Amino acid sequence: MHQHEFALQGGADRTSATLWPLSVDGLLLLATVGVLKQPSEGDRRTRYVVRLAFLLGIAVSLAANVAAAPALAWKPVLVAGWPPVALLLAVELLAHRSPDRAGTAAGDEFMDEGGGAGDPLVGRARQVDARHWELYQRPVSAETLRKELRIGASRSRQLVAAVRARSNGSTRD
């Protein structure tokens, strides 16, 4: 509603004003997914563009909400401006969660000491290993796994051992 009013006040016709919130919220949705996605190596430019799109979406949403506030007093501005600020904070909290905990919803009960079958990172490590086999015809190294999964060196060595233990005795194509 705020963005629609903002677009009308900015000179947009009714159709454009109706589509305005979709463009802002759509950008925020896609940028949020991009921010929360596991970054791949050498993808700095993409991460920069995704962050920029997210921050621009937040800025436009905040500006539209505040401009459409019924009065420029602190309470209406706070009420109008809070949703984009809350989204910004929520996404930042999710984006900066501990990488070791990123794959678990319930925490330690899924974690085995040796990186066993109940450990969700083992599945991700197997996927990275399979992709590495396809590209380089050799198993993934602990260092590559560490960078890919954004985990510590000790944890990456545990995961490599778990992946290799499972694949011992099997043949690769």
Side-chain angles (χ1 to χ4, degrees):
M1 189 67 167
H2 293 126
Q3 293 178 25
H4 182 265
E5 291 175 27
F6 182 73
L8 286 173
Q9 292 170 1
D13 60 45
R14 286 218 172 287
T15 303
S16 297
T18 301
L19 294 175
W20 175 272
L22 294 175
S23 70
V24 175
D25 293 341
L27 174 66
L28 279 171
L29 176 65
L30 291 174
T32 297
V33 170
V35 168
L36 297 179
K37 187 181 126 197
Q38 214 43 290
S40 58
E41 293 179 39
D43 215 3
R44 279 178 100 173
R45 183 176 181 273
T46 300
R47 285 195 314 259
Y48 174 77
V49 170
V50 166
R51 285 266 178 200
L52 180 62
F54 181 72
L55 292 174
L56 285 173
I58 291 291
V60 169
S61 182
L62 183 61
N65 287 7
V66 169
L72 288 180
W74 75 271
K75 286 180 185 178
V77 168
L78 178 63
V79 169
W82 177 249
V85 171
L87 175 63
L88 171 69
L89 295 173
V91 169
E92 286 301 317
L93 286 171
L94 287 172
H96 296 292
R97 68 195 184 280
S98 169
D100 283 343
R101 309 287 260 174
T104 66
D108 288 348
E109 63 266 20
F110 290 105
M111 303 292 277
D112 292 348
E113 285 182 27
D119 185 347
L121 283 178
V122 171
R124 290 180 47 208
R126 287 188 184 119
Q127 290 173 342
V128 171
D129 183 57
R131 189 173 62 236
H132 200 269
W133 268 102
E134 288 175 21
L135 293 172
Y136 306 107
Q137 286 71 50
R138 65 178 185 261
V140 70
S141 68
E143 180 63 14
T144 299
L145 195 61
R146 182 189 69 75
K147 290 177 184 174
E148 184 81 18
L149 298 180
R150 296 173 51 193
I151 57 177
S154 174
R155 185 75 172 110
S156 68
R157 288 190 298 273
Q158 288 176 342
L159 289 170
V160 164
V163 168
R164 290 187 183 151
R166 172 133 190 218
S167 64
N168 276 350
S170 67
T171 58
R172 297 268 183 192
D173 294 337

